[in-house]
Amino acid sequence: MTRSLSSIDDHSEYDVIVLGAGAAGMSAALFAALRKQRVLLVEHTEYLGGTSALSGATTWIPNSIHSETLAQGDSYEKALRFLNNVVGNYAPEVMRTAFLRSGPEAVATLERETDVHFRPYATHPDYESDQEGSTMRGRALEPIPFDARPLGPDLALVRPPIPEFTLFNGMMIDRTDIGHLLNLTKSLKSFMHSARILTRYGLDRLGGRRSTRLTMGNALIGRLLLSIKKRNVDILTRTTVHDLTRSGERVDGVVLEQGGVTRSVKTHRAVILAGGGFNRHATRRAEMLPQPTPIFSPAAPGHTGELQDLALKIGAHFGRGNMQDAFWAPVSVRERRDGTTAVFPHFVMDRSKPGTVCVDQTGRRFVNESTSYHLFGRAMFEANRTRPTIPCFIVTDSVGLKKYGLGMVRMATRDIGPFLEDGYLIEGRTVEELAARIGVDANAFAETVANMNRYAETGIDPEFGRGTTDYHRVNGDATTGTKNPTLGPIKTAPFYAVKLYPGDIGAATGLQTDEWAHVLGADGRPIPSLYACGNDANSIMGGTYPGPGITIGPAITFAYRAVQDAVERERPATA
């Protein structure tokens, strides 16, 4: 399935050439193959999957075939009203309507004709759940765990997950698995589920293999890979795109280089850019991201923005007016044994749980800890303008650490010594001692903790409104029986903190496209035969983050629309 560039003749022709092999690019290649097109998929790195492979791969597509059982009462009109309320003028409404119309079609096509399958999570609310038109469930889909054994040796092409998201040095799990593992001694169903996945992983390791049960982002990429493998898509990895070639105004091919071999490859219908955006670009990162320029990103390494540079060279332009140029999450960092740096995104497992608080470098709160990770990251930059907030600290006590964990320190970790020794986890026998250890004002910090303990008793956070929306409460812990599932006491010594930085998890600003994913020139007209999807294209959400999976959902949808347009449109006449 993978080829060497030397095996492709110079000036070979394909119907569709897709550049970039994350969820967007692989979806585009698959949709084109389903249309009986001859497809070439080109990836710059050694792995397929991009950041999608590292993610939870939640896919936000309202009113899909999976929504009916969980999201009764949802509708196109309701979803549009929600997006209009959240996104507003940050992005054109026509992009939202195109997404809402074609998203369900894209999902239905995948489910009906390929090995890509999703399921709705029982409760997964929109992040802006206080906005009219939001729902608690049905819009966010997740890939079903995937048995990757049919991939054979091609499993090695799938980008491995973030190690800190796995158990036992490689066992992949999702939220359903976590629930069963935590209840394996309390439920026969959970015991049987846990026994199956543990046995499966053990057999894989005994056989000298990486885990063949893929979950979350690896499951999505594995399913896409199997589907395109069955349809004979040609794949190049470790390949650089040096140029977009044109015949008149039309983009008619690409110049590729792999291991010193260069080829010019032509296309009949389309070149689709899906390189993941500018996040690893040599200069644009500092130019486009807020100051101070973020040091850490959990995104995959292939998002260099080089494809965007090629498009800009022939007249494309970036979208304008986004709320943010990137999507954010607070991250913590730790050096691994092999000398690499683990960058761990703090999505929902700790910040919203009872008995936690986040403080700036003065020891004071600056944000609603239960807000979405995107808004949390944005708040760090805003607060840093007036008080030092980068980095900040997430704090809990011994009860919270044991029950919920803190970043890379998982819940119920028996030996926290290594985390203390390397400084990832900071401990204080008293609140005042912890303040000294993290370098914040002891009086201000003690007052902050005392306030949080009082809020835990009343269930009301008068400062930031923690726990006032459905989204906040779902990510808390309702089993505690407290008045507010996101608030709990911070009283039991010792006390702990982990340092947090703002980390960019993807680009929001990208090439300006129209509702069919055409890349637009400076005059507003499409550049013939050139399309973009995923983070190479400007976000249809305008730098807002309305719900879980609002990058992958549009990525798949506009990959679908790009192929639909490219195949159904008559081949442009060459100049």
Side-chain angles (χ1 to χ4, degrees):
M1 182 173 57
T2 55
R3 301 188 62 177
S4 65
L5 186 58
S6 60
S7 71
I8 298 176
D9 293 335
D10 204 25
H11 301 294
S12 291
E13 295 186 353
Y14 287 84
D15 296 308
V16 176
I17 299 174
V18 182
L19 306 178
M26 294 181 76
S27 295
L30 177 55
F31 286 128
L34 291 173
R35 293 294 195 104
K36 310 301 182 185
Q37 304 296 293
R38 188 173 182 226
V39 183
L40 177 64
L41 177 63
V42 181
E43 168 59 29
H44 180 67
T45 72
E46 71 271 34
Y47 293 117
L48 307 181
T51 295
S52 298
L54 305 179
S55 74
T58 302
T59 303
W60 196 83
I61 297 183
N63 300 300
S64 73
I65 58 174
H66 295 294
S67 301
E68 300 171 359
T69 56
L70 289 178
Q72 296 177 359
D74 200 6
S75 65
Y76 166 86
E77 292 76 17
K78 185 176 180 180
L80 180 59
R81 187 162 61 250
F82 171 67
L83 288 181
N84 285 344
N85 287 337
V86 177
V87 180
N89 293 326
Y90 289 116
E93 183 176 347
V94 66
M95 302 299 287
R96 302 193 283 276
T97 59
F99 165 64
L100 293 174
R101 296 290 188 196
S102 293
E105 296 174 11
V107 171
T109 300
L110 293 173
E111 294 281 358
R112 183 177 61 249
E113 301 183 37
T114 78
D115 294 279
V116 179
H117 300 299
F118 298 96
R119 64 188 179 193
Y121 201 70
T123 302
H124 208 334
D126 297 327
Y127 291 169
E128 304 281 354
S129 61
D130 55 337
Q131 293 288 343
E132 183 183 1
S134 67
T135 66
M136 288 288 288
R137 56 189 61 84
R139 293 175 178 171
L141 310 177
E142 61 182 7
I144 294 174
F146 175 54
D147 181 350
R149 285 174 291 190
L151 286 176
D154 290 326
L155 173 57
L157 292 171
V158 178
R159 181 172 294 281
I162 296 174
E164 290 71 28
F165 280 2
T166 68
L167 297 178
F168 311 120
N169 297 315
M171 177 175 153
M172 284 173 270
I173 56 174
D174 59 19
R175 286 171 298 182
T176 299
D177 299 329
I178 292 173
H180 284 302
L181 288 167
L182 291 175
N183 288 289
L184 67 88
T185 62
K186 304 173 185 176
S187 160
L188 178 60
K189 180 180 179 181
S190 291
F191 176 82
M192 296 301 295
H193 180 95
S194 301
R196 281 194 299 271
I197 63 174
L198 288 165
T199 300
R200 171 71 174 276
Y201 180 63
L203 291 173
D204 283 338
R205 293 304 297 267
L206 286 173
R209 300 183 297 265
R210 62 172 287 190
S211 176
T212 60
R213 179 182 182 268
L214 310 187
T215 66
M216 301 193 298
N218 258 229
L220 175 60
I221 298 306
R223 289 181 174 279
L224 285 166
L225 179 56
L226 181 61
S227 299
I228 63 177
K229 179 178 181 178
K230 290 179 177 179
R231 289 161 181 85
N232 299 314
V233 170
D234 286 344
I235 300 176
L236 295 171
T237 60
R238 303 176 187 265
T239 301
T240 299
V241 183
H242 283 301
D243 205 1
L244 301 174
T245 61
R246 289 196 290 175
S247 176
E249 293 185 348
R250 176 179 175 265
V251 173
D252 70 348
V254 295
V255 176
L256 305 175
E257 187 272 327
Q258 181 195 68
V261 175
T262 300
R263 293 285 188 270
S264 178
V265 183
K266 298 298 182 181
T267 177
H268 292 296
R269 297 192 180 276
V271 171
I272 301 176
L273 308 180
F278 70 84
N279 293 75
R280 305 284 188 181
H281 193 279
T283 61
R284 197 162 288 125
R285 181 174 181 82
E287 294 168 355
M288 297 183 70
L289 297 184
Q291 297 299 314
T293 303
I295 305 170
F296 304 107
S297 171
H303 303 173
T304 61
E306 293 173 7
L307 298 180
Q308 293 174 327
D309 286 345
L310 296 178
L312 294 171
K313 190 171 70 173
I314 62 171
H317 63 91
F318 279 117
R320 303 179 182 91
N322 288 341
M323 175 186 283
Q324 296 279 291
D325 287 325
F327 299 117
W328 301 104
V331 299
S332 56
V333 298
R334 186 181 188 220
E335 185 174 330
R336 300 187 180 109
R337 292 180 179 178
D338 63 2
T340 61
T341 299
V343 180
F344 186 92
H346 291 241
F347 290 133
V348 298
M349 298 303 292
D350 50 18
R351 292 181 296 106
S352 296
K353 295 299 187 285
T356 61
V357 65
C358 293
V359 299
D360 61 21
Q361 294 174 34
T362 73
R364 298 174 176 85
R365 293 175 75 200
F366 63 95
V367 69
N368 180 334
E369 294 87 352
S370 295
T371 196
S372 75
Y373 41 89
H374 176 63
L375 292 181
F376 189 105
R378 181 184 173 204
M380 292 180 74
F381 287 108
E382 292 180 348
N384 195 62
R385 296 174 183 171
T386 55
R387 297 203 309 257
T389 311
I390 299 175
C392 66
F393 301 90
I394 182 170
V395 174
T396 192
D397 65 2
S398 59
V399 173
L401 184 70
K402 181 178 180 180
K403 191 169 185 180
Y404 305 113
L406 207 59
M408 295 184 229
V409 184
R410 295 191 180 97
M411 61 183 74
T413 296
R414 294 182 179 179
D415 181 14
I416 62 173
F419 297 96
L420 294 171
E421 290 168 8
D422 65 18
Y424 175 79
L425 185 67
I426 306 166
E427 181 183 72
R429 291 169 296 179
T430 65
V431 169
E432 291 74 16
E433 182 175 282
L434 182 60
R437 293 276 177 85
I438 63 177
V440 304
D441 181 86
N443 292 329
F445 184 56
E447 181 181 1
T448 296
V449 172
N451 287 341
M452 294 302 292
N453 289 334
R454 187 168 65 254
Y455 304 159
E457 293 177 358
T458 64
I460 297 172
D461 171 15
E463 292 183 87
F464 294 98
R466 183 165 163 173
T468 55
T469 74
D470 290 335
Y471 172 71
H472 298 167
R473 291 188 289 271
V474 164
N475 290 323
D477 183 1
T479 67
T480 61
T482 56
K483 296 178 180 178
N484 185 326
T486 74
L487 294 173
I490 308 171
K491 291 183 175 180
T492 306
F495 302 90
Y496 298 95
V498 166
K499 191 179 295 185
L500 299 180
Y501 298 85
D504 50 302
I505 58 175
T509 295
L511 300 174
Q512 189 64 61
T513 58
D514 68 9
E515 67 271 25
W516 289 104
H518 295 117
V519 175
L520 300 181
D523 57 3
R525 294 188 300 123
I527 298 174
S529 299
L530 185 64
Y531 298 81
C533 56
N535 289 354
D536 265 355
N538 199 53
S539 169
I540 70 165
M541 305 300 177
T544 69
Y545 214 113
I550 56 85
T551 54
I552 293 181
I556 292 174
T557 300
F558 283 93
Y560 175 79
R561 286 180 68 86
V563 169
Q564 185 179 19
D565 185 81
V567 173
E568 295 180 1
R569 178 182 293 265
E570 291 185 8
R571 179 180 174 182
T574 57

